[in-house]
Amino acid sequence: MKTGGAKEAKQGENPSKLIEARIRKLGDWRGETLARIRALIRQADPDVIEEVKWRKPSNGMLGVPVWEHDGIICTGETYKAVVKLTFARGASLKDPAGLFNASLEGGTRRAIDIREGGKINEKAFKALIREAVELNISAQVARSRKPKSA
């Protein structure tokens, strides 16, 4: 069973420390926004696993923060004008507060773009995180019950 915190990266680097480095390197509203979102995710799911994926020269080898619990919950990408939170299975989530405002045409993912000075409904965001976790857990249970073919 996975526990909360960070998985060790392949090169032995701690993903939580890589996320902290990304936040520090941004040093502007995007870093502050990413830090706030990260705190909300951890409050919503204390067992969340932090990971960093897609490390490449174009992102300073710091990669993209990813939050997981029995599968990807969401990613936190930073661009010049937005912090983009992409929910891996967002199209399957209820969003009564209307937080999703990007990638709405996709059949699977949905995203929340936060612009400089933008606010997010923290209560609704945490509910969305918890719903994404429940969806991941239910999918894991369904997969484990599926009979294996001979």
Side-chain angles (χ1 to χ4, degrees):
M1 175 190 252
K2 293 179 182 177
T3 59
K7 294 194 308 191
E8 287 300 311
K10 288 179 184 167
Q11 290 92 6
E13 295 170 307
N14 183 308
S16 290
K17 292 193 185 310
L18 290 172
I19 293 170
E20 290 163 9
R22 168 155 293 297
I23 290 168
R24 275 192 313 275
K25 184 175 181 181
L26 288 165
D28 59 10
W29 69 270
R30 296 170 301 163
E32 292 169 11
T33 300
L34 191 58
R36 187 174 86 243
I37 291 302
R38 180 185 190 205
L40 292 173
I41 293 169
R42 289 171 152 186
Q43 290 167 17
D45 181 18
D47 294 326
V48 71
I49 302 293
E50 293 188 316
E51 184 60 84
V52 174
K53 297 181 187 251
W54 310 292
R55 295 177 70 189
K56 53 191 176 183
S58 63
N59 60 35
M61 298 306 290
L62 293 173
V64 175
V66 178
W67 291 275
E68 303 178 350
H69 187 142
D70 287 332
I72 294 176
I73 299 167
C74 69
T75 63
E77 297 173 274
T78 53
Y79 298 98
K80 185 176 181 180
V82 299
V83 172
K84 179 180 281 297
L85 307 168
T86 302
F87 283 71
R89 301 175 75 197
S92 299
L93 301 175
K94 296 178 197 91
D95 181 21
L99 297 178
F100 290 132
N101 61 8
S103 305
L104 301 176
E105 67 287 342
T108 306
R109 294 185 302 266
R110 293 285 184 273
I112 301 169
D113 283 355
I114 304 171
R115 299 187 180 284
E116 186 171 9
K119 303 283 184 217
I120 190 161
N121 178 329
E122 293 184 2
K123 183 178 177 182
F125 181 74
K126 289 196 271 188
L128 202 59
I129 293 293
R130 287 190 287 271
E131 185 185 354
V133 169
E134 289 303 316
L135 183 62
N136 285 352
I137 290 170
S138 66
Q140 283 283 18
V141 169
R143 280 192 291 275
S144 70
R145 290 183 181 160
K146 190 175 185 180
K148 295 182 181 177
S149 54

